């Protein structure tokens, strides 16, 4: 298929429905939460989170919403761009992308995140690619989606 920005955003709107976005938020939340728990173990403070914080985290995971400026808001921002919403400010986009990359792929001791190739095949990775490089960057991925739908 010959993609245009309009047809690509239409397809991405179809793909990025509420369920997909919520499932991806839950997957990422679990990944970050596990990372936090491992670091608490590293610091020998396995019970470093108070019971109230643990309850809040369970609530956030269930409802895929956290108040304030946080990782979930950054994910929402890039998902909206992937669905065709206009970028508000390139600097704001960069800040959201940096938060996502840092949260998921910047190990302690490294100045920059190391992002594995597999990330770019996830719903969040594709949304980040659209936010960072434009919808044209995902035309090959959309071709793969169409091919898979035909099968």
């Amino acid at each position: 298929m010959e993609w245009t920005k309009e047809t690509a955003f239409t397809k991405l709107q179809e793909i990025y429905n509420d369920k997909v976005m919520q499932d991806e938020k839950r997957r990422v939340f679990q990944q970050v939460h596990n990372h936090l728990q491992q670091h608490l173990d590293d610091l020998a403070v396995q019970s470093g989170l108070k019971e109230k914080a643990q309850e809040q985290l369970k609530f956030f995971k269930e409802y895929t919403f956290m108040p304030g400026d946080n990782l979930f808001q950054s994910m929402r921002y890039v998902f909206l761009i992937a669905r065709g919403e206009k970028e508000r400010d390139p600097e704001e986009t960069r800040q959201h992308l940096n938060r996502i990359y840092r949260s998921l792929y910047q190990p302690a001791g490294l100045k920059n995140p190391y992002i594995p190739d597999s990330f770019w095949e996830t719903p969040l990775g594709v949304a980040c690619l659209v936010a960072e490089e434009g919808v044209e960057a995902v035309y090959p991925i959309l071709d793969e989606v169409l091919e898979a739908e035909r099968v």
Side-chain angles (χ1 to χ4, degrees), residues 12-70:
L12 288 168
Q13 288 170 7
E14 178 186 316
I15 293 168
Y16 284 104
N17 60 42
D18 287 343
K19 181 174 179 3
V20 167
M21 292 186 293
Q22 287 177 346
D23 287 348
E24 186 70 350
K25 285 180 181 179
R26 284 187 183 99
R27 184 189 70 79
V28 168
F29 177 88
Q30 191 62 50
Q31 187 177 357
V32 173
H33 186 263
N34 290 344
H35 189 76
L36 169 66
Q37 294 299 328
Q38 291 167 351
H39 279 298
L40 288 174
D41 286 345
D42 293 342
L43 297 171
V45 287
Q46 293 84 353
S47 60
L49 294 178
K50 294 181 180 179
E51 188 175 328
K52 182 175 178 164
Q54 292 284 13
E55 289 172 18
Q56 280 183 310
L57 290 172
K58 286 179 188 174
F59 180 80
F60 296 156
K61 180 181 179 184
E62 181 177 347
Y63 294 101
T64 65
F65 175 79
M66 285 181 196
D69 188 24
N70 55 58

Side-chain angles (χ1 to χ4, degrees), residues 54-123:
Q54 292 284 13
E55 289 172 18
Q56 280 183 310
L57 290 172
K58 286 179 188 174
F59 180 80
F60 296 156
K61 180 181 179 184
E62 181 177 347
Y63 294 101
T64 65
F65 175 79
M66 285 181 196
D69 188 24
N70 55 58
L71 179 59
F72 277 177
Q73 294 305 316
S74 292
M75 291 176 68
R76 181 178 184 277
Y77 181 90
V78 297
F79 284 145
L80 289 175
I81 288 178
R83 289 175 48 88
E85 190 170 296
K86 297 290 182 210
E87 179 180 54
R88 293 179 275 210
D89 172 34
E91 182 57 34
E92 181 181 6
T93 301
R94 176 53 41 206
Q95 290 172 353
H96 286 293
L97 289 166
N98 286 343
R99 175 184 287 146
I100 291 166
Y101 300 156
R102 182 183 66 246
S103 298
L104 296 176
Y105 298 112
Q106 185 168 343
L110 286 185
K111 190 172 186 172
N112 296 309
Y114 172 75
I115 303 170
D117 290 340
S118 60
F119 172 71
W120 304 110
E121 298 170 4
T122 67

